[in-house]
Amino acid sequence: MKTISTKNNLQVLHEDNHIIVINKRVGDIVQGDKTGDKPLSEVVKEYIKEKYNKPGEVFLGVVHRLDRPTTGIVVFARTSKALSRLNELFKNRETQKTYWAVVKNKPAEASARLVHYLKRNEKNNTSKAHTKEVPDSKIASLDYQIIRELNNYYALEINLHTGRHHQIRAQLAAIGSPIKGDLKYGAERSNLDGGIHLHARKLLLIHPVTKEPLEIIAPVPNDPIWRAI
């Protein structure tokens, strides 16, 4: 079963005066939504407040999100200066994100660039990948390569060129290789913890204040398939 993050079990990957980077668990929501469930941002605030004995409200800026069933790197800003600069970095694609995914169906090519036009369906919170431009669609591009063949699955490493809604999930489904556990995009069955085998593995960026290069790597969740990779 999934272990939701609390202030006491938070997996902190990097922490300084300006930013904090968390390894998100399955089931964590990054920011509050209509479910009313406690978001990861609030958990991180509690952690900071207790660790540094801070009086009053703790500032924490949400820079980007990960889907609830996805795991891996999430960056938060601890100062308003860091938040504005991180927002620019992410908006201008001045970061490099690497994801790992596990699929059951082997892609036709061992490595390739996928380019689709993604159209979002707000009603059911999905995106559909089209091979040609359609009204209200946005271009989506990624590179993938197979990095490990397991008994019944294939592990892929993915580098994003764009950051679209459910991009990796929709694009892999479009080539007949939906992510393990991702019922929404055509997987045969769900995972026991309700998550999917998609993990934000690595992030390269320039620190928004110190200007030093940062490489952050998130350990994979503790399950047999991830451990085999």
Side-chain angles (χ1 to χ4, degrees), residues 47-212:
Y47 163 84
I48 292 170
K49 187 177 180 70
E50 188 170 290
K51 180 173 180 178
Y52 298 102
N53 197 24
K54 281 186 172 288
E57 184 70 17
V58 171
F59 177 89
L60 193 77
V62 176
V63 179
H64 65 118
R65 303 182 190 188
L66 276 186
D67 298 338
R68 190 164 193 168
T70 304
T71 57
I73 295 170
V74 179
V75 181
F76 295 99
R78 292 190 56 195
T79 62
S80 56
K81 180 197 285 188
L83 178 61
S84 62
R85 291 182 182 176
L86 283 168
N87 283 338
E88 285 298 306
L89 286 174
F90 277 81
K91 178 185 172 185
N92 296 328
R93 315 283 318 157
E94 294 174 35
T95 61
Q96 188 178 328
K97 301 178 191 173
T98 301
Y99 289 77
W100 282 0
V102 175
V103 300
K104 187 172 181 63
N105 302 329
K106 185 178 184 179
E109 299 176 75
S111 64
R113 174 164 293 184
L114 302 182
V115 179
H116 292 95
Y117 293 88
L118 260 56
K119 182 169 183 177
R120 184 170 181 175
N121 183 330
E122 299 279 356
K123 196 173 289 186
N124 62 14
N125 192 34
T126 59
S127 287
K128 183 171 177 58
H130 299 267
T131 54
K132 294 181 180 178
E133 190 170 5
V134 298
D136 301 320
S137 64
K138 294 179 179 178
I139 195 164
S141 173
L142 61 79
D143 291 332
Y144 78 82
Q145 62 174 335
I146 298 172
I147 56 171
R148 184 68 59 90
E149 294 194 17
L150 308 169
N151 287 340
N152 297 304
Y153 299 99
Y154 299 87
L156 311 181
E157 184 167 278
I158 296 147
N159 287 300
L160 287 175
H161 307 302
T162 53
R164 306 303 184 199
H165 175 258
H166 289 186
Q167 177 178 339
I168 298 173
R169 299 166 68 180
Q171 287 196 271
L172 290 181
I175 63 166
S177 299
I179 294 167
K180 183 181 182 300
D182 199 357
L183 293 180
K184 189 173 270 192
Y185 287 94
E188 292 176 0
R189 57 179 64 87
S190 60
N191 290 342
L192 288 176
D193 63 4
I196 64 175
H197 273 72
L198 178 62
H199 181 67
R201 171 66 173 172
K202 186 166 76 171
L203 177 67
L204 299 175
L205 78 161
I206 301 299
H207 191 287
V209 179
T210 68
K211 305 303 181 186
E212 293 293 316

Side-chain angles (χ1 to χ4, degrees), residues 5-12 20 22 25 40 43-44 47:
S5 293
T6 70
K7 64 181 180 181
N8 299 317
N9 70 10
L10 210 59
Q11 295 183 2
V12 180
I20 182 167
I22 305 299
R25 292 176 164 90
L40 188 58
V43 174
V44 176
Y47 163 84

Side-chain angles (χ1 to χ4, degrees), residues 9-26:
N9 70 10
L10 210 59
Q11 295 183 2
V12 180
L13 302 173
H14 175 90
E15 183 178 0
D16 61 44
N17 290 334
H18 301 281
I19 66 174
I20 182 167
V21 185
I22 305 299
N23 191 7
K24 185 181 103 58
R25 292 176 164 90
V26 165

